[in-house]
Amino acid sequence: MKDLSLLAKLLAEEDIHVVHKQQSTATFDVLNRELALPIWKDMSKNIQDLMTLHEVGHALWTPLEMMTKIKEQKLSHSVCNVLEDVRIEKAIQLKYRGAVKIFNNGYQELITSNFFQTLDKDISNYNLIDRINLHYKHHSDVTFSDEEMVWVKKANQTITSDDVIELAKELIAFIEENPESQGKTPNTDDLMMPDIDGTPMSDNSVQDENDVENQEYEMPSNSKSEETEENSDEEKSGDSDETDDESEETDEEKSGAGSEKSDEDSDDKSETKDITMEAATDGGGNEDFNITATTDKASVKSVEDMLDKDAGHYNYSTIPKVDLKKVVVPTNEILDIFSNHYLDAKKSDSTYWDKVLEEFNKTKSDSKKAVSYMVKEFEMKKSADAYARSMTSKTGTLDMGKLHTYKYNDDLFAKVTTLPGAKNHGLVLFLDWSGSMAHNLVGTMNQLFNIIWFCNRTQIPFEVYGFSNVFNRRMGEKSGYGQNFKSGDLVLNVSLLKFFSSKMKTQEQNDMMFYLYMLASRWSYRDWRTDGYPYQEPASLALGSTPLNDAIICAMDLVPEFKKSAGVQKMHTVFLTDGASNSIHNKFVIYDRNGSICNDQQSIGHGTQIFTDVKSGNKISSKEFGFGRESQTKMLLSLLKKRVPDMNVVNFFVAGSSRKGSVSYNDIRDVIDYNMVQSYNEITNLVKKCNKDNVLIVPKGQGFDVCYILPGLGKFDMNTELELEDGVTYNKGQLKRAFSKMSNGKTANRPLLNNFIKMVA
């Protein structure tokens, strides 16, 4: 089945959502601006295009209020459907002349396949509304009396939805008063019809190609074009399909966008939806109608037979546009929170403050030499790589120094060596600010600080964010607070704590490091009797759970902005985590509750998930990544990489959770892709390799370009010193090994920095 999204959007002249669902016919949700197409197993291009054009007609010209008016006036829904289809299909064929051929060919295919169950039937036995329905589908042998032809022509002359409703009243009255127009086919009172914003394709009307070509195009008064040009009476009465930002904001103000309903409210909402659907069936729920379009019953059965019921359920969501000004917590705000909190704690007892300050200064001092050594190695490696890629060529100018060798040397021209331009790099690092990181937090800070000091020395632009779902909750904000309400958008629950950037002043950077080291030290193993009792961290900056998926979505807006402002060519986006992400469960929706338009949230559902990045136009399906807990993360990473091409997306995964920091069998098993390893022995060997090398490199692991699985970061000693005892005489080989061990330890004990250098060198 081909993707009709682009066709539908172009025809509808707006960015509507086009989805595929397990339903019997194409529908258009005028509230959420969503065109839903069935999942078909066998369907030609003509029929698919016909259905798309039909529903685009509803998107352009059928107002939501029409359904309410039909219900209030207790009209036969099927009669109104037939007449409304004549109106909107005439309009779409006049607006897009190429649609005439599509409608003609599509309906001829349906008729030939006995889609409407009219084969070998006497069409004259059908009632008038059925014959009007079949007539505008180009069904042959449809006859009318002179009196009935008046109504056939009237059906083709409606301009507005109100015209359709008035004509339906008059036509029903005429049929009831004229037995000869009631036909011999019994009416079906229990016929179930989809609502007006989900009109079955079987009720469509097709204009004669010659008739359409000879008509002047007259835009129905419900169209968006007329609404744009003037403020019509229909717009004031609610017949417009206006969907601009202003109307969305008005709805949001009235109903409270993003509000989270109680379980009781949710139950009421579901019940309301059921009632609305039932009321939209012919009969208005409990009312009985004598006049209905019985041809619909046969078409609904044919539609059911064409559905691919084994395809499963598809659930569609869109990637939201994140307001970074709301989601990102500025560095100065974090520093204020830290300083006010810890300075107050210091007044009561400064022991812990002094002890942590002593440890931090020692770590900083010990890392200074190691970082300098690694910077020198980085520059050497970068120079060697540039030399290896250099090209030597002749200039065409004589080398005067070689001129005297002309008798035995043919190469007398000067040469030039060209070094390819190296790309400048940028780093954005997202730090998992979750409770499970607590006992690895001191080691994580040590590793992180080394990367920051290295970037400072090599002038690599960088930013470091902690992703948290505690800050916004402590500040009284609910999920989705950093987004503008848009139906279909995933609802996020995350704050990005901007801990560091390359634009910070040195004093600000040192203060932030000290405060973070103090917070991390609270969870380290220490004797509080000598080191002082650890201070409680600020409530808003406490550790929470792991909104990794939410952070990935934020990165889709944040990383391109950073890349542009920093002027970097090669981006490296790093996620430092120690566990799987929380799942994103909800999306924004608009629904009709007892006549009131409400903004709310609902579950994204189960089954196959389809995420659409509206900005880049890319779609991703969970079918590509399986249905495990990590499937959502892999989908979002795929969209992130498409949003920022040529970007390196890396995961530093802290697997060691024990006190010693060693990686266990379960740690590797939970992280590694099951397609890569099968047996117990294979995983056991990987565990040994990780503990020995201090890293296990997994290409394409967990959806990242590369995943570095690390032991617990607390096991690494930042203070690597020369292991020589006083008073002992060492030979040349022993001294060489001792210096080599110390040198290797400087890099081996800094796995984050060591592997980051490999990325950027």
Side-chain angles (χ1 to χ4, degrees), residues 69 119 153 157 231 393 419 498 525 538-539 604 657:
K69 291 178 180 179
L119 190 64
K153 293 178 181 178
Q157 294 170 351
N231 296 323
S393 57
L419 295 175
K498 191 174 184 180
Y525 299 98
I604 62 174
S657 56

Side-chain angles (χ1 to χ4, degrees), residues 316-426:
Y316 293 80
S317 306
T318 50
I319 302 300
K321 167 67 177 175
V322 178
D323 188 345
L324 295 176
K325 292 182 180 179
K326 294 182 179 179
V327 172
V328 175
V329 184
T331 304
N332 58 350
E333 184 176 343
I334 298 173
L335 283 171
D336 288 342
I337 294 172
F338 271 138
S339 61
N340 292 334
H341 179 82
Y342 284 130
L343 287 173
D344 285 343
K346 182 185 177 184
K347 293 177 183 177
S348 302
D349 183 6
S350 63
T351 307
Y352 180 65
W353 176 290
D354 296 337
K355 183 64 178 178
V356 172
L357 182 60
E358 178 186 341
E359 293 175 0
F360 170 68
N361 286 332
K362 187 175 189 307
T363 298
K364 183 178 179 182
S365 176
D366 291 337
S367 295
K368 188 174 182 180
K369 293 181 180 179
V371 170
S372 297
Y373 171 79
M374 298 182 79
V375 167
K376 185 181 293 185
E377 278 199 337
F378 167 72
E379 296 294 349
M380 291 172 60
K381 185 176 180 181
K382 191 168 64 172
S383 298
D385 182 63
Y387 180 78
R389 293 183 291 116
S390 64
M391 295 179 295
T392 302
S393 57
K394 296 179 181 180
T395 62
T397 303
L398 287 172
D399 184 350
M400 304 307 294
K402 294 182 179 180
L403 197 58
H404 66 282
T405 65
Y406 73 94
K407 289 185 177 181
Y408 54 85
N409 186 6
D410 293 333
D411 187 5
L412 300 177
F413 292 95
K415 297 180 180 180
V416 62
T417 299
T418 304
L419 295 175
K423 292 183 177 180
N424 56 332
H425 298 262

